[in-house]
Amino acid sequence: LSGCHGENFILKLVRRGITASITGGGPQKSHKKRSQGLEVISAGLARTGSASLQKALDILGYTPYHNAEVLVNDHSELWDRVVNTGGKDGIKDVASAMVAAGYDATTDSPSADFSMELLKLYPNAKVILSTRPEDRWLVSVLQISPIVGVTMLPPWSYMPRFVRFREFIRNLHCQQWQGCLMCDGFGVDINDHETNNKCLDYLHSHIEKVKKHVRPKQLLEFHPSQGWEPLCKFLDLPIPDEPFPHINGGLSFEIARYVMW
């Protein structure tokens, strides 16, 4: 495999493989009418149960935009502009690209990192703040760096779309996450006290910002362990006749790293 043929082949794997491992696959069950904008904005940072929430929203009839969609839709350069300006520029272009591609909900980084900027564009959207115990979140979030680091190696480093995605992720982590995940090389020392503090500081400041800017009736603090009831009540939708999805995002990361190595 080489050139665009290799890249296209890998993108098929991303669409059918890695994304399917996150979403759980299966047909979408729509209980709602389609809109022309973002209806649900998840403000929960990466590794706070965003994969489970993405699948839940999919079952409820939404089309959620997760981190993998940045790569699949080649939105890396659009997001880079947002990151480089701290969300002050480019967010309208990103939002327009998401909506034009058919997405009406967001989950995971980078959209969660700039959820308040997205909310300014879609002030009637409902906001979900997914949460997780800090100690478990910290262990999980530090798994991100090795996955991105692998894209520095062949064959990924020869594929322009993957290069753009890798550079965007590194840029996001260096600027928005205060460098607590990765800026150079394969990441960070997960046992480093300063690294842990930077990650937790970012988590705390993000949660504080969300709670400060979103009206209480417009905000749902949620963890997948709570199941369907609070989510469906918040979204004013019936509870599906199937168990709430619990996607092991950490396992998906390990599978991805194994495949990519």
Side-chain angles (χ1 to χ4, degrees):
L1 295 176
S2 61
C4 64
H5 295 294
E7 186 175 71
N8 289 337
F9 173 76
I10 295 299
L11 282 172
K12 288 182 180 179
L13 294 182
V14 171
R15 287 189 177 98
R16 298 177 183 179
I18 297 176
T19 301
S21 73
I22 293 174
T23 63
Q28 180 171 289
K29 305 172 182 65
S30 178
H31 295 295
K32 54 181 285 298
K33 294 180 180 179
R34 287 285 161 215
S35 71
Q36 298 299 316
L38 295 181
E39 294 184 47
V40 177
I41 297 173
S42 174
L45 293 178
R47 320 305 295 154
T48 59
S50 59
S52 296
L53 179 59
Q54 181 196 18
K55 178 57 181 175
L57 291 174
D58 178 73
I59 291 172
L60 292 173
Y62 294 94
T63 304
Y65 185 94
H66 198 267
N67 182 274
E69 272 66 45
V70 178
L71 174 62
V72 170
N73 292 282
D74 200 13
H75 287 169
S76 298
E77 292 183 343
L78 287 175
W79 276 109
D80 251 337
R81 184 178 166 195
V82 177
V83 173
N84 289 333
T85 61
K88 296 179 181 179
D89 193 19
I91 194 70
K92 287 185 179 180
D93 292 335
V94 165
S96 296
M98 286 193 288
V99 173
Y103 300 99
D104 55 10
T106 65
T107 61
D108 199 25
S109 292
S111 54
D113 299 273
F114 297 97
S115 51
M116 296 301 94
E117 286 78 9
L118 289 171
L119 185 61
K120 290 179 181 178
L121 299 177
Y122 299 96
N124 295 322
K126 295 186 176 183
V127 180
I128 301 173
L129 180 60
S130 52
T131 60
R132 189 177 188 179
E134 288 184 1
D135 55 340
R136 294 175 58 189
W137 175 80
L138 188 60
V139 171
S140 182
V141 80
L142 291 174
Q143 296 177 1
I144 295 175
S145 296
I147 294 295
V148 179
V150 169
T151 64
M152 300 175 68
L153 302 174
W156 321 102
S157 59
Y158 299 146
M159 301 179 183
R161 187 180 301 218
F162 277 82
V163 172
R164 289 191 291 271
F165 180 71
R166 180 193 69 210
E167 293 307 308
F168 152 67
I169 292 295
R170 290 176 63 186
N171 192 25
L172 176 70
H173 292 169
C174 288
Q175 296 198 45
Q176 195 70 14
W177 287 67
Q178 306 172 47
C180 71
L181 291 184
M182 68 172 296
C183 286
D184 299 297
F186 281 75
V188 297
D189 179 1
I190 62 174
N191 297 311
D192 181 69
H193 186 66
E194 182 179 357
T195 294
N196 294 349
N197 283 340
K198 283 184 177 181
C199 284
L200 290 174
D201 285 347
Y202 180 57
L203 175 68
H204 295 156
S205 64
H206 179 76
I207 292 174
E208 182 180 351
K209 180 174 70 173
V210 171
K211 291 183 177 181
K212 178 180 178 181
H213 287 90
V214 184
R215 292 178 286 115
K217 290 185 178 181
Q218 195 178 4
L219 177 65
L220 173 68
E221 292 187 56
F222 179 74
H223 187 273
S225 63
Q226 295 174 286
W228 285 118
E229 187 172 353
L231 181 63
C232 291
K233 181 179 180 180
F234 179 66
L235 298 175
D236 195 26
L237 291 172
I239 296 177
D241 294 325
E242 60 182 280
F244 188 90
H246 293 284
I247 309 300
N248 188 337
L251 178 60
S252 297
F253 262 56
E254 288 304 312
I255 292 174
R257 181 165 59 175
Y258 175 79
V259 170
M260 294 173 77
W261 271 105

